[in-house]
Amino acid sequence: MSPQELRHLPLFNPFGDDDLQQLGRQGEPVNLKAGDILFAEGDPAQGLFVVVEGQLEIFKQVCGERVTLANVPRGSFVGEISLLTGLPHNASARASVATRLLKYGASVFEGMKDSPIIQLILATIVQRLSDAEMQVQQHQRLSALGTMAAGLAHELNNPASANLRAATQLPQTLTVLQMQTLKLYAAKLNGEQLAFLERLQTDLIGRAANADLDPLAQSDLEDTIMNWLDDAQIADSWRLAPTLASAGMNADELARIREQVGDDLLSDTLNWLESAVTIARLSHTLKRCSTRVSELIKVFKAYTYMDQSPVQELDVHEGLENTLIVLRHKLKDIVIKRVYNRDLPRITAFGSALNEVWTILLNNAADALAARGSGTICLRTGQENDYIVVEIADDGPGVPTDLQARLFEPFFTTKNVGQGAGLGLSVARRIVVERHHGTINVVSS
């Protein structure tokens, strides 16, 4: 390419004619059609590419999603980080439109450490790394927010669904109970019979709320009650038996009811008792599930330190436990072992930031165990001199010794391309070291 053509590119303004002539001779032309990939994330270093015409899109796979880091216009260059470090490309480059480039291999820059282009490349590296890290961090935070929201939805789904079912059944059951009560009232039961039924109803409701039968015992009791009801020619025995069994009713109690009210009122009485127990169970479900929903909301508010000052006096165990609840859907097949020193003092810290650290470390531990589908994560706390120590360990495959020193580098990851952005441990280190003046390190075998 001629010096005159290069001169039209703002990138080459600082260079003299001799430098431009040399750069024009050393550049290898590369032509791409729209959509062509120049290099892919993970590819070895290929050289420095100057965009003469067209535009490149720089993108990265983050947590399975494609994130655009930059659009490189005419007159800019790419590939400089891998060229100077010798490391694989940490992102991919794709032609947005038909694009013409000049490629410079590593040999071109040997002996040029003090030249303007090397200084320009280094300045560009710093800016691009900063911009890319900021964009990937933003995407990771949004992804983490989505994960947290999914976790909250997962945890809320069961109690919320149970609440809805109970609230839907309750009005109908109340109507049935009211009709059955009126029928028994019209039968003009005497005082002894009413007192017996009142005591029995109260007893059954209390037993239903505290019943803890194992499934086999529950099934056996249902069969016993159903057989008794069939022998007594009570309709809908299949519907009455499960509810009465859940309250622990047995054949002797059924016989006493028959003795008190007689055969004519036996069916109405049993249906009345079944409706009363059902209403009590539905009310218990509403209370239990509403309590669970309230507790979950409280946990998530505590995890995010919503409506609180960023700096808090806190117990690290509370943050660890709240994080475990937030990630419970991801940790459900993993054994969590706790070795806590409950005598640790409270510390003044950025609560939500520390929870982000626990989230990063627990996510990494869960990912390490994902291939096996199970495993153990151990959380250990203690104190060394004036420092609180938190250890999060897993029994996964570990990290090779030669890679451990690089784990806290931005964009370095041991995961497959697209599965990790390589920023989690970098963010964790910044929170622990820069914001809390602590230390963070890895031990693996």
Side-chain angles (χ1 to χ4, degrees):
M1 193 169 183
S2 69
Q4 290 76 21
E5 290 179 287
L6 291 178
R7 179 68 71 191
H8 288 297
L9 299 174
L11 171 68
F12 293 106
N13 285 341
F15 295 91
D17 291 338
D18 292 341
D19 290 329
L20 290 178
Q21 191 167 6
Q22 183 179 2
L23 288 170
R25 288 196 308 268
Q26 293 172 323
E28 175 188 340
V30 176
N31 295 301
L32 300 176
K33 298 189 295 293
D36 285 351
I37 299 295
L38 178 62
F39 53 78
E41 184 177 351
D43 284 352
Q46 299 179 27
L48 179 75
F49 297 89
V50 178
V51 181
V52 179
E53 290 180 4
Q55 179 175 281
L56 294 174
E57 178 196 11
I58 308 299
F59 63 91
K60 185 176 181 67
Q61 293 293 328
V62 180
C63 302
E65 296 182 34
R66 177 167 148 171
V67 180
T68 298
L69 302 180
N71 288 300
V72 181
R74 173 181 177 274
S76 301
F77 56 83
V78 295
E80 73 287 346
I81 298 175
S82 296
L83 177 68
L84 294 182
T85 63
L87 299 175
H89 291 286
N90 60 20
S92 302
R94 166 186 169 276
S96 304
V97 295
T99 302
R100 188 159 62 99
L101 309 105
L102 283 178
K103 176 183 177 181
Y104 295 96
S107 59
V108 173
F109 303 99
E110 293 177 1
M112 296 176 60
K113 292 183 178 179
D114 296 325
S115 71
I117 193 166
I118 295 298
Q119 294 173 14
L120 180 61
I121 288 174
L122 292 175
T124 305
I125 286 177
V126 172
Q127 184 60 48
R128 284 186 177 169
L129 281 175
S130 176
D131 292 345
E133 183 174 2
M134 183 166 55
Q135 289 192 48
V136 174
Q137 280 187 20
Q138 178 69 14
H139 183 84
Q140 279 195 314
R141 287 195 175 96
L142 290 173
S143 178
L145 181 61
T147 300
M148 188 173 71
L152 177 59
H154 182 85
E155 293 295 329
L156 289 175
N157 182 61
N158 286 341
S161 297
N163 257 357
L164 180 59
R165 287 194 300 270
T168 303
Q169 295 173 24
L170 195 56
Q172 181 181 358
T173 310
L174 279 169
T175 301
V176 172
L177 178 66
Q178 186 179 35
M179 294 173 58
Q180 291 162 342
T181 303
L182 290 173
K183 288 178 69 174
L184 290 176
Y185 178 77
K188 300 187 185 319
L189 296 171
N190 60 42
E192 182 183 348
Q193 290 172 317
L194 290 173
F196 169 77
L197 292 180
E198 182 182 352
R199 289 194 304 271
L200 181 60
Q201 183 195 62
T202 302
D203 186 37
L204 289 177
I205 288 173
R207 282 151 56 180
N210 300 309
D212 191 23
L213 288 176
D214 65 75
L216 185 59
Q218 172 85 12
S219 178
D220 289 342
L221 188 54
E222 286 180 21
D223 289 341
T224 300
I225 293 174
M226 191 179 301
N227 290 333
W228 192 98
L229 295 175
D230 289 339
D231 290 342
Q233 297 182 341
I234 302 298
D236 297 334
S237 60
W238 59 270
R239 179 178 58 82
L240 297 173
T243 304
L244 297 177
S246 70
M249 182 173 281
N250 54 47
D252 290 340
E253 285 180 316
L254 289 168
R256 283 200 299 273
I257 296 171
R258 188 176 194 175
E259 181 183 340
Q260 282 286 339
V261 301
D263 288 338
D264 291 342
L265 293 178
L266 180 59
S267 179
D268 289 337
T269 301
L270 292 176
N271 277 280
W272 175 72
L273 289 171
E274 189 272 340
S275 295
V277 171
T278 298
I279 288 173
R281 292 180 64 197
L282 291 174
S283 300
H284 178 68
T285 296
L286 286 169
K287 179 181 178 181
R288 175 171 50 82
C289 292
S290 297
T291 301
R292 178 60 179 158
V293 169
S294 178
E295 288 173 350
L296 285 170
I297 292 173
K298 183 178 178 181
V299 164
F300 276 82
K301 287 182 70 174
Y303 174 81
T304 58
Y305 285 82
M306 187 185 300
D307 303 326
Q308 298 184 52
S309 168
V311 180
Q312 294 281 323
E313 188 179 87
L314 54 86
D315 179 350
V316 293
H317 301 111
E318 293 176 4
L320 289 168
E321 289 300 313
N322 288 337
T323 305
L324 287 172
I325 293 174
V326 170
L327 296 177
R328 181 154 53 191
H329 64 292
K330 187 169 185 177
L331 304 173
K332 61 182 179 180
D333 296 322
I334 296 172
V335 176
I336 303 298
K337 182 180 178 182
R338 299 165 175 83
V339 185
Y340 289 162
N341 178 356
R342 292 292 187 177
D343 296 326
L344 292 179
R346 298 175 72 85
I347 59 171
T348 301
F350 294 89
S352 60
L354 280 186
N355 285 347
E356 187 175 358
V357 173
W358 313 144
T359 302
I360 290 167
L361 299 182
L362 285 167
N363 263 319
N364 282 354
D367 289 342
L369 298 172
R372 284 185 3 208
S374 63
T376 300
I377 295 177
C378 180
L379 286 78
R380 182 180 289 103
T381 62
Q383 184 171 354
E384 292 182 9
N385 301 320
D386 293 332
Y387 288 87
I388 282 178
V389 179
V390 178
E391 297 178 2
I392 298 178
D394 64 79
D395 57 356
V399 179
T401 305
D402 58 330
L403 299 180
Q404 292 177 22
R406 300 188 56 203
L407 288 180
F408 298 102
E409 292 180 12
F411 299 111
F412 177 79
T413 179
T414 59
K415 300 174 184 176
N416 295 329
V417 172
Q419 293 183 350
L423 283 178
L425 289 177
S426 173
V427 171
R429 183 186 181 281
R430 187 175 304 162
I431 292 171
V432 172
V433 176
E434 297 180 12
R435 299 189 70 180
H436 293 91
H437 311 294
T439 60
I440 182 171
N441 56 63
V442 59
V443 177
S444 182
S445 61

